[in-house]
Amino acid sequence: MRILFVAATVPEVDGLVSKFKKATPTGGRYISADLQHTLIITGVGMVAAAFAIGHEHAKNHYDLAINLGIAGSFDRNIALGEVVEITSDTLAELGAQDDSSFLTINELGFGESVFKASKKLADIVDGIELRKATAITVNTVHGNELSIKKIIERLNPNMESMEGAAFFYACHQAKLPCIQIRAVSNYVEKRNRDTWQIGLAVKNLNTFALQLLHRLEV
Ligand SMILES: O=C(O)c1cccc(C(=O)CC[C@H]2O[C@@H](n3cnc4c(=O)[nH]cnc43)[C@H](O)[C@@H]2O)c1
């Protein structure tokens, strides 16, 4: 099985990167030692993620794409550092304000804002169980109590990232089976960088990714 790993930044997947070789001296493309798998570093945000996946898909065939990254959690039942499987992801800002209401892109008649994983982790490997979660994808990270209250009332997501729904969208367009795995680096709250646990989230995410890679190789 040829896998395309997709991450926004190198630090988020530093453990996985150490098992791959840079494809070219410049650029964010890495190849696994057995030449089977590719890792692309897209840059932060939906636009960068969608372009990078489309660009890679135009040149190479893969059987599966896996989005790896850290994320914020609205849900305090999910521990900081926990690794979760995102099953559904929404382009939360895509739509129109109608005074105090929000009209989704679906309600406007222009398309879809909710995208789902087309595979389950359990379809790929046995014995690695992760909590399943829903997510939203945003250009502007929530860091204000009123905007957090409003998005919980409207969509009640478990998690938030800046690429997830764009990843699902691009994979669906490319007919590329996809899953999204994220580790919680912070709770979505009034911005307080001191409480973020990026190191713990990255450590757990990479432990998971290396375990998955190992299981796929044996
Ligand atoms: O300093 C900041 O305010 C900041 C905000 C978001 C992300 C970062 C990063 O350093 C990592 C980039 C990566 O992390 C994902 N992420 C992590 N936490 C959140 C969140 O609460 N809301 C949305 N995205 C989050 C995101 O996918 C970025 O690509 C720094």
Side-chain angles (χ1 to χ4, degrees):
M1 182 191 302
R2 285 197 79 195
I3 300 180
L4 175 64
F5 292 95
V6 178
T9 66
V10 171
E12 285 171 280
V13 284
D14 57 358
L16 193 62
V17 165
S18 71
K19 300 283 176 201
F20 282 60
K21 286 193 174 63
K22 237 176 179 287
T24 53
T26 56
R29 191 165 183 274
Y30 299 78
I31 309 285
S32 63
D34 62 4
L35 308 180
Q36 276 283 102
H37 314 302
T38 302
L39 165 65
I40 55 169
I41 304 298
T42 63
V44 169
M46 292 178 249
V47 174
F51 174 79
I53 296 158
H55 188 255
E56 185 62 32
H57 165 71
K59 292 186 298 181
N60 292 294
H61 171 80
Y62 296 95
D63 304 302
L64 175 71
I66 304 180
N67 188 198
L68 297 170
I70 60 172
S73 180
F74 293 90
D75 185 344
R76 300 272 170 160
N77 293 313
I78 307 178
L80 289 177
E82 188 171 341
V83 181
V84 305
E85 180 177 2
I86 307 292
T87 54
S88 168
D89 208 320
T90 300
L91 295 166
E93 297 148 336
L94 190 59
Q97 288 182 339
D98 182 7
D99 196 9
S100 59
S101 299
F102 182 85
L103 298 173
T104 66
I105 202 76
N106 316 55
E107 286 165 332
L108 293 171
F110 293 132
E112 185 54 61
S113 56
V114 183
F115 298 93
K116 294 187 189 309
S118 55
K119 285 273 176 194
K120 296 184 182 122
L121 182 61
D123 298 334
I124 299 151
V125 279
D126 292 329
I128 310 181
E129 282 283 318
L130 296 180
R131 182 199 296 264
K132 298 193 176 27
T134 62
I136 58 169
T137 300
V138 293
N139 283 313
T140 304
V141 173
H142 284 93
N144 165 278
E145 279 167 11
L146 182 62
S147 74
I148 293 167
K149 184 171 174 284
K150 281 187 175 172
I151 199 73
I152 291 172
E153 278 168 10
R154 181 159 70 84
L155 293 171
N156 196 25
N158 299 127
M159 311 264 297
E160 172 181 280
S161 83
M162 300 176 78
E163 301 83 21
F167 165 81
F168 281 161
Y169 169 82
C171 291
H172 286 299
Q173 290 296 107
K175 298 188 170 43
L176 175 56
C178 55
I179 64 170
Q180 181 185 166
I181 308 292
R182 294 209 173 247
V184 179
S185 53
N186 58 282
Y187 290 119
V188 180
E189 60 188 358
K190 185 173 163 189
R191 186 175 165 79
N192 180 7
R193 205 60 210 273
D194 294 346
T195 59
W196 286 35
Q197 296 262 359
I198 292 181
L200 177 65
V202 166
K203 177 171 155 284
N204 293 349
L205 181 69
N206 283 270
T207 300
F208 164 84
L210 291 174
Q211 190 187 2
L212 179 66
L213 195 61
H214 179 69
R215 294 283 295 278
L216 291 166
E217 282 167 356
V218 291

